[in-house]
Every structure is written in structure tokens, then in C-alpha cells.
């Protein structure tokens, strides 16, 4: 399920339907399901396929391997911001642009635009989260209607190390109480699944070995309801969130995010202040007392 002309891509996302449930799985476990742009494109294809299939009532988003997602790809061998990509919005190509414009138009479609598009999917979505859900991983979980986590799952947005005010889809203050959201960003610590559950960001927690089985039960329960009724319910919640300022807040913070990118480029010559995937992983482990 890739765009025309991209059939030879690696399979970064897998898709299967079982009993009215589409299981959409991130498939880069060797890189903790870090999200390059081709993965995000395939993810969009999978979601669109699920929406158009009348036999699908519910969509589950998960990740193969140890972790749900370590976030955006900032340094694997398959990092692909230099490659052409299919755009879902009306923004122009980023490849022949310079300065702040290049990253701004790339992320306007590839990060913020796709997440907004996915939040508006009319079928219920469940994020099945195990292990790490970091930075860009939060964006994927937050566009879903429910988050069901394993006992060992944790949530983290450590991008303050890169002088960034959070990830591009800035839902922090809508997913968590204000001071807890500030803590998530200012300290960048891991939030265990149990603590996220206490604040209502996670709906249910199960042992990792039974996570998929329990998610399947929840999806099956939702799938018994009328398709149109579910779609209207989703629209109702999205409408209320926008009345509360979610879209406007994201627009404002997205501009701050790109001011930070431009500042980093001027000061360090690098969008993220010279921190690559290995440096971020090492800092995360040190902060968590693992190294």
C-alpha cells in the first residue's frame, strides 16, 4: 500500500484485517520504530485503506518489537529527508528550498499535516503502546482515540535538549494537566504508563504478554457499534477540542518550533543542535539511570 512509483520501498508498515479490525504495525523494530518519511507515507496509505474498507470498523496502531516508537528518524541509515516524497496537502516540494523554508514546508505536511489528517479519521483508533513512546511517538499515540499500554510502557518528550518547545503536533497541554505537561517538557523525564494512566492520558494497562489480546477485546467491543454513529462521535470530540483552542495552539507552537530550528541552524549549523539518535538515546539512558 504505497503511493504509485514507490512499490520497491522496504515494508516499514504492515497491514492486516482480522474480524473487522485493521492492525497497522510500524515495522522498523531494529531502530525502535523510528519514523522516517517513507514510514509515515506508508502509514498514511494504510490508514486510508482502512477507512475505505467497509469491513473495517476499528483501527489499531502498534509497533513491532520492543518499542512502540522512539520518535522521528534523526540518524538511522534509512533517514530520508533528502528524498522526494508524496505530499497529502497542497504545500510545495521541500527539496529545492533553502533556509528555514525547507524544513518548514517539509514538516507542515509530513508531521503536523499528517497528524491532523489522521486525527480526523472517522473510524475509532486505538494506540497499542509497549516500551518507548518518545517525542514523535507521542504524536502517533495522541491522534488515536484510546491509548492502551503495557506495564513497561513509558512516554517522553525530551526535545528540550534540542532547544525545541515540544514536538510538532503540540497536544501536550490537551493530553495532560498544565503543570504535568510543563514537567514532561521542561524535565524531559520518562513518564511510566501507570502515571500516565492516573492523569487520563492512558486508558488501560496490561502485561506486555497479554497486551495484544486485550486490545483485540476492546476493539471487538467497539466494532459492535454502528459505523456512522462512531464517526459522528469522533467528530463531536474533535469539534470540542477545537473549540478549546487545540488547532490554534498547535499553529502557534508550530511556528515557535521552526523558530527554534532556524536558531539552531544559525548557532550550530544543525536543525537539532547537533544531537543525533545515538546522542539522544545515550542521554535518555543516563537520565533514566540505565547507563
Amino acid at each position: 500500500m504505497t503511493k504509485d512509483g514507490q512499490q520497491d520501498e522496504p515494508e516499514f508498515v504492515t497491514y492486516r484485517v482480522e474480524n473487522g479490525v485493521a492492525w497497522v504495525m510500524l515495522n522498523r523494530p531494529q531502530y525502535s520504530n523510528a519514523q522516517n518519511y517513507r514510514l509515515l507515507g506508508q502509514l498514511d496509505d494504510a490508514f486510508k485503506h482502512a477507512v475505505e474498507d467497509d469491513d473495517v470498523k476499528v483501527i489499531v496502531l502498534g509497533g513491532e518489537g520492543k518499542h512502540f516508537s522512539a520518535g522521528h528518524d534523526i540518524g538511522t541509515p534509512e533517514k530520508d529527508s533528502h528524498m522526494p516524497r508524496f505530499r497529502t496537502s497542497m504545500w510545495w516540494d521541500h527539496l529545492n528550498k533553502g533556509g528555514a523554508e525547507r524544513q518548514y514546508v517539509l514538516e507542515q505536511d509530513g508531521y503536523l499535516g499528517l497528524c491532523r489528517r489522521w486525527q480526523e479519521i472517522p473510524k475509532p483508533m486505538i494506540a497499542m503502546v509497549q516500551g518507548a513512546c518518545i517525542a514523535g511517538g507521542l504524536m502517533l499515540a495522541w491522534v488515536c482515540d484510546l491509548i492502551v499500554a503495557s506495564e513497561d510502557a513509558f512516554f517522553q518528550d525530551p526535545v528540550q535538549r534540542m532547544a525545541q518547545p515540544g514536538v510538532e503536533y503540540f497536544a501536550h497541554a490537551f493530553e495532560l494537566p498544565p503543570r504535568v505537561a510543563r514537567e514532561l517538557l521542561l524535565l524531559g523525564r520518562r513518564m511510566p504508563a501507570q502515571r500516565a494512566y492516573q492523569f487520563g492520558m492512558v486508558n488501560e494497562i496490561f502485561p506486555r504478554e497479554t497486551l495484544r489480546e486485550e486490545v483485540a477485546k476492546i476493539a471487538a467491543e467497539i466494532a459492535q457499534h454502528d459505523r456512522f454513529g462512531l464517526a459522528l462521535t469522533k467528530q463531536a470530540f474533535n469539534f470540542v477540542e477545537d473549540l478549546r483552542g487545540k488547532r490554534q495552539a498547535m499553529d502557534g507552537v508550530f511556528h515557535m518550533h521552526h523558530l527554534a530550528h532556524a536558531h539552531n541552524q544559525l548557532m550550530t549549523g544543525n536543525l537539532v543542535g547537533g544531537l543525533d539518535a545515538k546522542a539522544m538515546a545515550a542521554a535518555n539512558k543516563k537520565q533514566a539511570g540505565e547507563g
Side-chain angles (χ1 to χ4, degrees), residues 34-140:
Q35 308 156 25
N36 60 19
Y37 289 100
R38 286 171 290 169
L39 178 147
L40 296 173
Q42 291 180 23
L43 190 56
D44 188 65
D45 288 339
F47 287 153
K48 191 171 190 298
H49 193 76
V51 169
E52 293 180 345
D53 184 348
D54 284 344
D55 290 333
V56 170
K57 298 289 292 294
V58 182
I59 301 168
V60 174
L61 173 63
E64 300 288 357
K66 185 178 180 180
H67 300 294
F68 173 73
S69 177
H72 296 148
D73 189 340
I74 58 173
T76 78
E78 295 170 329
K79 189 174 185 292
D80 55 9
S81 61
H82 63 289
M83 296 173 63
R85 57 179 297 273
F86 183 91
R87 299 181 298 282
T88 60
S89 70
M90 295 299 290
W91 281 95
W92 50 83
D93 189 8
H94 71 287
L95 285 177
N96 62 347
K97 308 303 184 294
E101 180 183 14
R102 184 183 191 277
Q103 197 68 17
Y104 183 89
V105 300
L106 174 59
E107 294 187 3
Q108 183 77 51
D109 178 78
Y111 291 157
L112 180 61
L114 283 178
C115 282
R116 282 178 166 170
R117 172 179 164 91
W118 298 336
Q119 186 191 16
E120 294 177 353
I121 288 172
K123 295 184 179 182
M125 297 174 63
I126 303 171
M128 180 176 65
V129 177
Q130 83 282 1
C133 181
I134 301 175
L138 293 172
M139 295 169 57
L140 297 188

Side-chain angles (χ1 to χ4, degrees), residues 158-223:
V159 298
Q160 272 286 305
R161 297 191 195 117
M162 301 172 173
Q164 295 287 345
V167 288
E168 295 82 356
Y169 183 81
F170 190 85
H172 307 62
F174 293 87
E175 295 286 342
L176 291 164
R179 294 199 186 279
V180 180
R182 290 172 189 252
E183 173 192 327
L184 185 75
L185 279 173
L186 292 175
L187 297 179
R189 294 172 179 168
R190 297 179 178 182
M191 179 178 288
Q194 184 60 43
R195 188 160 189 246
Y197 173 79
Q198 291 170 354
F199 291 120
M201 193 179 86
V202 166
N203 295 94
E204 296 197 49
I205 301 173
F206 298 103
R208 179 185 282 249
E209 57 270 21
T210 62
L211 180 62
R212 190 191 184 284
E213 175 186 349
E214 297 295 344
V215 169
K217 291 178 184 177
I218 295 169
E221 185 175 346
I222 296 173

Side-chain angles (χ1 to χ4, degrees), residues 238-273:
N238 287 343
F239 179 74
V240 170
E241 286 190 328
D242 282 343
L243 283 178
R244 291 173 175 169
K246 185 176 184 179
R247 187 176 185 90
Q248 292 85 346
M250 283 189 182
D251 284 340
V253 179
F254 185 76
H255 296 148
M256 298 175 200
H257 182 94
H258 281 275
L259 174 60
H261 273 323
H263 181 72
N264 280 338
Q265 284 181 306
L266 286 169
M267 300 301 292
T268 70
N270 184 277
L271 285 168
V272 292

